[in-house]
């Protein structure tokens, strides 16, 4: 597959590509993939971060950076990534990093094949933490986006939907499962199914049609993991009504419209319904497994379940230290699960955001609020 981004050599060529991608795309078999990154640096320079962290990429990942533009408000980099996969095998490709210094948001853009995105771009992005962090897109934000398109008068269908839900049978080892709907469904049917089964969207391939419902004007893909793909159609609609709506700085800021999380405070998470039907020990064990899988964390278990988990967490890359409590309680003869994050030492918002995203993505989503005694 031919890469257009690989031939970019200036800012004007990059902006021309983005502006006229639909016309160019008619002659090639490719799509534009976006990853949204949260910028937590002090000087806002992605170039300096990458140069300082090159040692962490070696020897598996080779990184070559060419600045295309730099000002007080914006920075654009062309980056060639080459990763050794095994004996005699390597993957190589080009990405663009478009850093909005004012909004503290960066976009990683690539038209490379899926294998390169999964094995190389993901690796590169993960190595930028805690200076830059991939943005998780909660299911609630995806649903809000779908509703906004409906309110604008568009007709929506989903040609593929992957959902996460709690197992219907509580004797399973793992609590969540992924269900795919391979046929095209009206978006109203998808939202109704989510509500009926206490599920949340994991990824969705979305078709946006005009009011007559006959002509598709946009096809795109959105995943909770932060990958957004422009497949075909009206790029300006994709950019303004989808990409820029999802490019918000953090999960905390998305959930706190009044800005209560502008400071470091204890945070409570109320998990979505569905867990209450499971054996308590199974729920606690699954929760701990999710936390322990993240290689960034050093854990100290103060209380190992029955009836709650109390874990001390140190983010080894960021230096943040906080306590985490996961517990259940009875309300109106029904069991509910909550989580409390208590900041301890040198805690940053991006570290708390990262912890919340890992739990929401791997364990289950919930609502966030400021903890009150």
């Amino acid at each position: 597959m031919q890469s257009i981004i690989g031939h970019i050599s200036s800012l004007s060529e990059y902006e021309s590509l983005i502006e006229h991608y639909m016309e160019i795309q008619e002659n090639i078999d490719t799509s534009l993939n976006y990853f949204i990154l949260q910028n937590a640096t002090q000087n806002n320079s992605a170039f300096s971060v990458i140069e300082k962290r090159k040692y962490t990429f070696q020897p598996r990942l080779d990184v070559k950076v060419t600045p295309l533009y730099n000002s007080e408000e914006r920075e654009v980099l062309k980056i060639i990534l080459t990763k050794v996969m095994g004996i005699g095998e390597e993957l190589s490709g080009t990405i663009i990093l478009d850093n909005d210094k004012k909004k503290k948001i960066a976009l990683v853009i690539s038209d490379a094949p899926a294998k390169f995105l999964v094995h190389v771009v993901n690796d590169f992005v993960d190595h930028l933490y805690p200076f830059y962090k991939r943005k998780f897109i909660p299911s609630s934000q995806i649903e809000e986006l779908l509703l906004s398109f409906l309110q604008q008068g568009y007709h929506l269908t989903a040609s593929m939907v992957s959902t996460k839900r709690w197992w219907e049978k509580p004797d399973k080892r793992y609590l969540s499962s992924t269900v795919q709907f391979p046929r095209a469904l009206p978006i109203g049917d998808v939202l109704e199914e989510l509500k009926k089964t206490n599920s949340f969207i994991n990824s969705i391939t979305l078709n946006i049609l005009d009011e007559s419902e006959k002509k598709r004007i946009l096809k795109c893909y959105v995943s909770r993991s932060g990958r957004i793909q422009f497949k075909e159609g009206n790029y300006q609609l994709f950019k303004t009504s989808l990409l820029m709506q999802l490019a918000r700085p953090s999960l905390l800021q998305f959930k706190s419209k009044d800005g209560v999380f502008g400071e470091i405070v204890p945070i409570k998470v109320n998990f979505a319904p569905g867990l209450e039907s499971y054996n308590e020990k199974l729920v606690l064990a699954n929760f701990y497994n999710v936390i322990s899988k993240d290689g960034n964390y050093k854990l100290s278990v103060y209380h190992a379940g029955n009836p709650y988990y109390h874990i001390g967490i140190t983010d080894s890359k960021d230096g943040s230290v906080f306590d985490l409590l996961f517990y259940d309680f009875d309300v109106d003869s029904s069991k509910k699960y909550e989580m409390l994050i208590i900041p301890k030492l040198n805690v940053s918002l991006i570290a708390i955001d990262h912890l919340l995203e890992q739990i929401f993505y791997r364990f289950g989503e919930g609502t966030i609020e400021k903890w009150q005694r």
Side-chain angles (χ1 to χ4, degrees):
M1 188 191 317
Q2 181 184 2
S3 170
I4 306 173
I5 288 180
H7 293 88
I8 292 174
S9 59
S10 66
L11 177 66
S12 60
E13 288 184 4
Y14 160 61
E15 292 181 332
S16 178
L17 161 68
I18 299 301
E19 187 70 24
H20 302 287
Y21 187 78
M22 183 178 177
E23 292 89 343
I24 299 172
Q25 188 198 40
E26 291 180 356
N27 301 316
I28 57 174
D29 180 22
T30 186
S31 300
L32 276 179
N33 296 276
Y34 288 82
F35 296 89
I36 303 171
L37 307 185
Q38 180 182 348
N39 180 349
T41 61
Q42 295 297 321
N43 63 4
N44 281 337
S45 172
F47 179 80
S48 62
V49 168
I50 295 171
E51 288 298 307
K52 288 179 181 179
R53 295 191 63 79
K54 272 188 174 180
Y55 73 93
T56 68
F57 302 140
Q58 299 294 343
R60 295 184 304 136
L61 183 62
D62 181 63
V63 180
K64 296 179 180 178
V65 185
T66 303
L68 299 181
Y69 179 77
N70 189 34
S71 68
E72 291 184 359
E73 295 188 349
R74 187 186 183 196
E75 175 187 27
V76 181
L77 307 175
K78 177 182 177 180
I79 306 172
I80 300 175
L81 302 174
T82 304
K83 183 176 181 179
V84 177
M85 302 297 294
I87 299 176
E89 181 187 4
E90 67 178 27
L91 292 175
S92 184
T94 304
I95 64 173
I96 295 291
L97 194 152
D98 193 339
N99 181 23
D100 189 326
K101 298 179 180 180
K102 190 174 182 180
K103 294 182 179 180
K104 306 288 284 186
I105 285 288
L107 297 176
V108 170
I109 309 166
S110 175
D111 59 351
K115 187 175 181 179
F116 176 79
L117 300 176
V118 172
H119 295 287
V120 184
V121 177
N122 282 344
D123 195 7
F124 170 75
V125 169
D126 290 343
H127 275 83
L128 296 181
Y129 180 78
F131 303 99
Y132 287 84
K133 178 187 69 63
R134 181 209 309 264
K135 183 185 180 298
F136 168 83
I137 304 173
S139 179
S140 57
Q141 191 176 357
I142 298 176
E143 290 182 38
E144 181 185 274
L145 179 75
L146 300 178
L147 291 173
S148 72
F149 275 112
L150 293 174
Q151 291 168 359
Q152 295 175 58
Y154 294 106
H155 181 74
L156 277 65
T157 65
S159 52
M160 193 286 289
V161 184
S162 170
T163 66
K164 295 280 284 186
R165 68 177 67 172
W166 305 118
W167 279 110
E168 296 178 1
K169 297 181 180 179
D171 58 344
K172 295 289 184 180
R173 180 180 178 186
Y174 299 104
L175 295 184
S176 63
S177 65
T178 300
V179 180
Q180 292 190 0
F181 301 96
R183 67 187 186 281
L185 292 174
I187 220 63
D189 292 353
V190 173
L191 296 177
E192 183 63 29
E193 180 69 16
L194 293 174
K195 184 178 180 180
K196 186 191 307 181
T197 60
N198 289 326
S199 303
F200 39 88
I201 295 173
N202 195 45
S203 63
I204 184 169
T205 300
L206 186 64
N207 304 293
I208 301 176
L209 297 86
D210 61 15
E211 295 181 6
S212 68
E213 302 183 12
K214 294 180 180 180
K215 182 181 178 182
R216 184 169 65 192
I217 56 178
L218 176 62
K219 183 178 182 180
C220 56
Y221 167 88
V222 180
S223 169
R224 290 195 309 146
S225 66
R227 179 183 167 194
I228 304 167
Q229 186 179 68
F230 171 64
K231 291 180 175 291
E232 62 180 53
N234 187 328
Y235 178 79
Q236 286 305 316
L237 178 63
F238 167 81
K239 178 182 178 181
T240 58
S241 297
L242 191 144
L243 181 62
M244 291 299 100
Q245 294 302 312
L246 295 176
R248 303 180 185 182
S250 73
L251 184 60
L252 291 177
Q253 292 184 27
F254 170 68
K255 286 292 184 181
S256 55
K257 295 179 181 178
D258 58 353
V260 295
F261 295 115
E263 56 181 329
I264 305 297
V265 296
I267 294 169
K268 184 173 74 171
V269 176
N270 302 295
F271 285 98
L275 282 174
E276 63 276 1
S277 61
Y278 291 87
N279 177 276
E280 185 177 294
K281 291 184 178 180
L282 180 66
V283 174
L284 294 172
N286 274 264
F287 180 79
Y288 178 77
N289 288 338
V290 166
I291 302 296
S292 61
K293 282 181 180 178
D294 193 311
N296 291 333
Y297 296 142
K298 295 179 180 178
L299 307 180
S300 298
V301 180
Y302 303 131
H303 192 86
N306 193 20
Y308 66 94
Y309 251 112
H310 182 187
I311 307 171
I313 299 179
T314 301
D315 188 319
S316 59
K317 291 187 177 181
D318 175 82
S320 294
V321 180
F322 32 74
D323 278 0
L324 188 152
L325 287 89
F326 180 81
Y327 53 90
D328 66 81
F329 61 97
D330 294 325
V331 177
D332 298 329
S333 301
S334 177
K335 182 180 292 186
K336 295 184 180 297
Y337 282 90
E338 290 184 349
M339 178 180 71
L340 188 63
I341 299 176
I342 305 173
K344 303 292 283 188
L345 296 172
N346 303 318
V347 176
S348 68
L349 279 173
I350 199 168
I352 297 178
D353 213 47
H354 178 73
L355 175 62
L356 285 169
E357 291 181 351
Q358 291 301 304
I359 294 171
F360 277 29
Y361 185 65
R362 299 179 185 277
F363 181 72
E365 293 191 17
T367 58
I368 304 170
E369 61 183 77
K370 186 176 179 179
W371 180 64
Q372 302 288 345
R373 289 184 179 273

